[in-house]
Amino acid sequence: MTTKPKAKKFRIRRSAPTSGTGTPEAEQGNDLPAHRFTGEMPETTPSRQTPPQTTATPPAPQPPLKPSAPQGAPQSPAQGATSPDQEIDAIKREGLTGRQLRMARRMAQKNGLAATSDYDAVRLLRANGLDPFQRTNMLELVVPDGGTGGGDGGRVQLPQTLPMGGNTLPSTETYSQSPAEKRAREIGEIQRDIAKRRRRRLALLFTRLAVFVFLPTIIAGWYFFSIATPMYATKSEFLILQADNAGGSGIGSFLSGTQFATNQDSIATQSFLVSKDALVRLDKDENFKEHFADPSIDPIQRLPENPTNEQAYSLYKKYVKVGYDPTEGVIRMEVSAADPEVAARFSRALISYAEQRVDDLSQRKREDQMRDARRGLEKAKKERREAQAQLVSLQEGSLVDPEGLIASLRSQISNVQIQLQEKELQLAALEDNPRPNRARVEGVKGDVRRLQDLQAQLEAKMTDATAGGSSLAQKTAQIQMAQADLATADLLMQTALQTLKQTELEANRQVRYLTTSVEPVASQDPSYPRAFEDTMLAFLIFSGIYLMISLTASILREQVSS
């Protein structure tokens, strides 16, 4: 034992190396880090110390540690048996990780050891009795002046001697095995541990699969094979056709007779067959609810007693399947029931409902068009009748031929005007004479006056209104207007008649017919349930649910752990 040199305040004190014999007593004193920081440290740099040998028995070499575990205890080679290069080669065979080597290099730098490599740093630290892989607690770096460090816990810092009694010899197995054999043995132990954990995880996985996948699948298969009531399906096919096109042109004539002309009617019929309206009519006519509420049907497929329309409709959509193929224009329907005859009866009833609905759709459209055409024709007839009655009433209140009378009056007025002009010329000639004959002059003036009065009378017959009536000119104009109204009414009535004829032709082309191509026939063998297919489908569903839950749980566990 060397005496402790003079210490300064807050210096680092390095503990002396322990014995490297590998006995339990020595290892018990070296289970903690080999270096502690105290309040005192020698001013001089510590030199490499060799652990004293107190017994004649050579120290046993330390076995190489596992790669995954930190190297805790220093290895001391036998006295005079190894060189530094051999020690470095032995350290390399230990399989140290890069992190452990970096820790050894940092610790060697802190302790002032000049290491040429990471492995040399490990060798120097072990030679100085320091654990190169022991983490340093920052609270142990500085202690009060004169303190011994509270973290030692009574640990002996000086080299320990071997006790005389007890088994102090090294292990024969450890001494006889080479590092390669030790590494192979440790790798085998790791592999056995991995295989054990893998078997345990496989057992847990199989248990979870059995509980969440296999057991529900077995229950579903038992239901489909043993409990489920067999259902008989009746299939039928029908399509909606348009009447042959008797005329017309344009794009509509090219599409007539194809599935595109009846596409909307087919979709409307499909929607009606899967609606609640069809369910209500089917239950009213064929007792749909009573059939599926029969106690002979299994509880899962059976309706409760006195079911509501909503409960029956959910079952109706399951057992009445209607599909429409727009490329072929065919509507396919499948009706299932516990009795094949009942299924066929349900199918025939639904087809009759669809036929009535198709007729109602086309009939309403035809009636709307025909009603408008007939209404226009009746209006034209009424207007013509009123125009003709107006003309007759005007003719009854006047002469039979007012235009002829007006022409006659105009001829008379022209003659009177000619005679009046001649008398006026004769009077002018008499008055030009210096000594005219007064008798002749007065006679000519009388003739002029009488002709003027006659012309005024004739003109008054044409323009002046009679008592309680209108003038001859007004009556003539009224009659002409009435005749024009009558001609217009005749033209409108002819147009209305043509429109009615065209509407009738168009309505005949718009007639829809529901034609059943495949009649419903009662089935002899049950179609549902498909036990094997349904069991496989249940297995896939349960597997998918388990997979999704497992992935979600793994992701959440990874997020929480990170």
Side-chain angles (χ1 to χ4, degrees), residues 36-110:
R36 291 291 181 179
F37 296 91
T38 61
E40 296 180 357
M41 178 179 175
E43 294 181 358
T44 60
T45 303
S47 60
R48 299 176 57 179
Q49 299 177 359
T50 303
Q53 302 294 332
T54 56
T55 61
T57 303
Q62 295 292 330
L65 300 179
K66 297 181 181 180
S68 59
Q71 304 295 329
Q75 295 183 0
S76 299
Q79 292 181 353
T82 59
S83 63
D85 294 338
Q86 294 177 351
E87 294 179 1
I88 292 176
D89 293 338
I91 293 172
K92 289 181 180 180
R93 287 194 297 271
E94 293 178 5
L96 302 177
T97 62
R99 181 174 177 274
Q100 292 173 334
L101 296 175
R102 289 193 297 271
M103 291 174 60
R105 172 64 68 90
R106 286 196 297 268
M107 186 174 291
Q109 292 176 355
K110 289 180 181 179

Side-chain angles (χ1 to χ4, degrees), residues 258-545:
T258 63
Q259 68 272 15
F260 299 104
T262 59
N263 191 14
Q264 294 180 351
D265 297 328
S266 300
I267 294 175
T269 303
Q270 179 189 10
S271 301
F272 165 73
L273 290 175
V274 295
S275 65
K276 194 179 294 185
D277 185 12
L279 167 65
V280 173
R281 293 186 61 180
L282 185 63
D283 180 61
K284 182 179 179 182
D285 297 340
E286 303 294 340
N287 297 325
F288 179 84
K289 295 180 182 178
E290 181 180 354
H291 173 72
F292 281 97
D294 191 349
S296 61
I297 301 177
D298 63 273
I300 296 179
Q301 303 181 85
R302 184 175 63 235
L303 284 174
E305 187 177 358
N306 298 324
T308 61
N309 289 334
E310 285 71 19
Q311 293 175 341
Y313 182 61
S314 62
L315 194 68
Y316 175 82
K317 291 189 295 183
K318 179 180 179 181
Y319 292 112
V320 178
K321 301 177 182 178
V322 182
Y324 171 61
D325 188 358
T327 59
E328 300 177 358
V330 179
I331 300 176
R332 295 181 174 87
M333 182 174 64
E334 178 179 323
V335 181
S336 302
D339 188 353
E341 296 296 334
V342 174
R345 190 170 68 249
F346 286 170
S347 182
R348 285 190 288 268
L350 290 174
I351 292 175
S352 64
Y353 300 157
E355 187 175 2
Q356 293 177 7
R357 181 54 59 92
V358 170
D359 293 340
D360 293 341
L361 292 174
S362 60
Q363 182 67 26
R364 183 176 180 180
K365 189 175 182 180
R366 295 196 305 270
E367 287 180 356
D368 291 341
Q369 294 178 352
M370 293 298 296
R371 183 172 59 252
D372 295 338
R374 292 192 184 99
R375 188 180 300 168
L377 180 61
E378 292 296 332
K379 183 179 180 181
K381 288 181 178 179
K382 183 178 180 181
E383 291 177 354
R384 184 184 181 281
R385 190 178 296 110
E386 291 176 356
Q388 191 172 8
Q390 182 69 20
L391 178 61
V392 171
S393 63
L394 291 174
Q395 290 178 350
E396 288 178 354
S398 61
L399 297 175
V400 177
D401 190 5
E403 294 181 357
L405 180 58
I406 291 174
S408 177
L409 290 175
R410 288 178 178 174
S411 177
Q412 292 178 11
I413 292 172
S414 299
N415 294 332
V416 170
Q417 288 177 352
I418 292 172
Q419 293 176 8
L420 180 59
Q421 290 176 358
E422 291 177 353
K423 291 298 181 181
E424 288 178 350
L425 291 174
Q426 185 179 0
L427 178 60
L430 290 176
E431 289 180 350
D432 289 341
N433 192 354
R435 296 179 68 183
N437 188 353
R438 305 302 301 173
R440 293 183 64 183
V441 171
E442 292 296 335
V444 173
K445 287 182 178 180
D447 292 339
V448 172
R449 186 175 58 254
R450 286 189 294 273
L451 289 173
Q452 290 177 351
D453 293 340
L454 180 58
Q455 181 181 0
Q457 291 177 1
L458 293 175
E459 291 178 354
K461 287 182 179 180
M462 294 180 62
T463 58
D464 296 342
T466 59
S470 58
S471 64
L472 187 60
Q474 292 177 352
K475 290 181 179 179
T476 302
Q478 292 175 359
I479 290 174
Q480 290 177 355
M481 292 175 64
Q483 289 176 352
D485 292 341
L486 180 60
T488 303
D490 290 338
L491 182 61
L492 292 176
M493 189 178 66
Q494 291 177 2
T495 304
L497 285 173
Q498 292 179 359
T499 302
L500 180 61
K501 293 296 183 181
Q502 292 178 357
T503 303
E504 289 179 352
L505 294 176
E506 186 67 23
N508 291 331
R509 289 195 297 267
Q510 292 177 356
V511 175
R512 303 290 190 268
Y513 301 98
L514 190 146
T515 303
T516 304
S517 57
V518 177
E519 293 289 342
V521 179
S523 177
Q524 295 182 352
D525 296 328
S527 302
Y528 300 100
R530 297 186 177 97
F532 180 76
E533 291 84 350
D534 293 341
T535 303
M536 291 296 101
L537 179 61
F539 172 74
L540 294 177
I541 291 174
F542 291 132
S543 300
I545 293 174

